[in-house]
Each structure stands twice: as C-alpha cells, then as structure tokens.
Amino acid sequence: MRFGVSVKHSHPLRQLTSHDHCLAELRCCVSLAVCLALCLMGTLPNAALAVDCPSADYSFTSQSEVDAFEPLACDTVTGNLTINGADVTDLSPLQNLTTVNGFMFIGVFAQGQTANALLTNVDGLSGLTAVGSFLSITANTALENLDGLTNLTTVDRLFISANPLLDNLDGLQGLSGSIGDSLWVYDNPLIRDLDGLSGISGELLVNLRIYNNASLQNVGGLAGKAGGVGNL
C-alpha cells in the first residue's frame, strides 16, 4: 500500500533525541505558544525559589537559638534579624540565609553596650546577598573581620561602629551601587582603610559619618563618593 510518502531506507535507524521529540510536538500542536511551553518545560532547569522563614522576625541571643534556625530550611527573613548572644561563636547554621527584608543587627545599635563577646567572624553569613533596610555591625568585642559578607551586594543603610578588634572592611567589597542615604563608620580603633567600600556609589549618600577611627590612614575607598554633608 502506498501513501504518497517516499521513505528512504538507505540510512540506519537512529535513536530519537529530546530535540526530535520537541520538533514532533511542534508539528502536532495547534497553538505555537502552548507547544513552546511544553518544550521549554522539558529542557529548562527549575528556577530556585525563595523560601520565607516561618516567623517574620528573629532575635538570636544564644548559640542554641542560632543552631535552631538551620532545620527551618528557609532563606528569607521577611522582617528583622538580630544576632546578639554572650555565647554565640558560630553562625554556620545561617548559611542558607540570602535575604533579610527588614533591618539586621549584628551586635547592638546603642553605643555604650557590648555584644557577641565570643564571635570572632561572620563566616556563616556567606550566603547573604541583600538587607532591605539598614545593616548595623556594632559593639562586637571579639569580631576581627567581615569576610563572611563577601556575597552581600545590597543594603539600604550601613552602620559600623565600636568594634575594637575589627581592622578592615574588605568583606564588604561585594557592595555595589547606592546603599541609600547613610554610611557611618566610627569608633573602630584598628580599621586602617576603607577599601572594602570602594564598590558603592555616592549619588544619594548625604549622611556620611567617618570619625574616631584611630588607625584610619586611608579613605581612598570613599574617594569622590560623598554626595552631601559628612565628616572624615
């Protein structure tokens, strides 16, 4: 029986690929849009979706509270986050955290207080990329560096103060673009330069305060960034 279709037998049969199947669906579908969707669903990887944490706000006042965060398997704090505990030494249970929509305190905000007496680094925050409001790193008596924040690219305002052992801001080199209107760095006696802030722009930086950093000799990281009043 002949159907008017010429079939060549000279080529050996080959295994159909996913591309072949996709083309077959294209020929059969009535709607091109529907067909393309079917093909793409089979070939594109699934996009990672943000997972909101069950509570809006978190305040970690002990290492056990930090440890309890890891099993939540979430990456977005929709409210605010505070880390201030006398026995907090390890932030690795927060390694999946990518976003804090509100403000974030590492330490305390008010001067004259002390915080996180045993926390020497913030390496456990290596997944953090954005803080929607301000980030305050204040009065951490043992904190030596901010290297764990290298993936942080976005903050609204930044306050770094009263960290007696912190000697550089290199961990903030990932910050880029505008960081809102406020940048304060003060009362950090060992900070030698501001090179870690070189990635930010200063178009809206009208509230700049850099003072009382006894070892600071180089402010080149902020060269030309001040858009308004301030003191260096």
Side-chain angles (χ1 to χ4, degrees):
M1 182 180 295
R2 299 179 61 86
F3 294 93
V5 177
S6 176
V7 180
K8 295 182 179 181
H9 298 284
S10 57
H11 296 288
L13 293 176
R14 62 182 179 85
Q15 183 177 1
L16 292 177
T17 67
S18 58
H19 178 69
D20 296 322
H21 288 297
C22 196
L23 289 176
E25 289 188 17
L26 279 170
R27 296 189 184 101
C28 296
C29 289
V30 176
S31 168
L32 179 60
V34 172
C35 182
L36 288 174
L38 289 173
C39 292
L40 290 174
M41 286 172 60
T43 57
L44 292 179
N46 292 327
L49 299 177
V51 179
D52 290 349
C53 298
S55 297
D57 302 322
Y58 289 86
S59 179
F60 301 125
T61 60
S62 67
Q63 184 62 49
S64 61
E65 290 178 351
V66 174
D67 294 343
F69 184 83
E70 187 169 22
L72 298 179
C74 60
D75 57 27
T76 301
V77 171
T78 58
N80 309 311
L81 175 64
T82 300
I83 302 170
N84 180 14
D87 69 336
V88 173
T89 59
D90 176 23
L91 300 184
S92 61
L94 308 181
Q95 61 187 339
N96 292 328
L97 183 65
T98 63
T99 306
V100 176
N101 287 339
F103 62 71
M104 182 173 182
F105 287 119
I106 301 176
V108 296
F109 189 67
Q111 288 183 285
Q113 302 180 32
T114 59
N116 297 321
L118 301 179
L119 185 66
T120 61
N121 64 71
V122 291
D123 292 353
L125 297 175
S126 59
L128 186 67
T129 61
V131 177
S133 184
F134 62 79
L135 170 61
S136 173
I137 303 171
T138 299
N140 297 280
T141 55
L143 186 63
E144 299 174 357
N145 64 72
L146 302 178
D147 294 351
L149 296 176
T150 53
N151 288 318
L152 181 65
T153 60
T154 305
V155 298
D156 183 56
R157 285 162 287 169
L158 181 61
F159 304 94
I160 302 172
S161 64
N163 302 288
L165 299 184
L166 184 64
D167 64 4
N168 69 79
L169 303 180
D170 293 351
L172 298 175
Q173 290 182 350
L175 287 176
S176 60
S178 172
I179 62 168
D181 65 353
S182 298
L183 170 61
W184 292 21
V185 181
Y186 62 95
D187 291 342
N188 303 285
L190 298 185
I191 288 181
R192 302 182 300 272
D193 61 61
L194 302 178
D195 292 351
L197 302 176
S198 60
I200 67 172
S201 61
E203 291 87 351
L204 302 177
L205 195 57
V206 297
N207 190 0
L208 176 64
R209 298 286 185 270
I210 310 292
Y211 63 91
N212 201 27
N213 301 290
S215 300
L216 184 61
Q217 299 179 353
N218 178 8
V219 295
L222 287 180
K225 304 290 176 71
V229 298
N231 44 354
L232 291 170

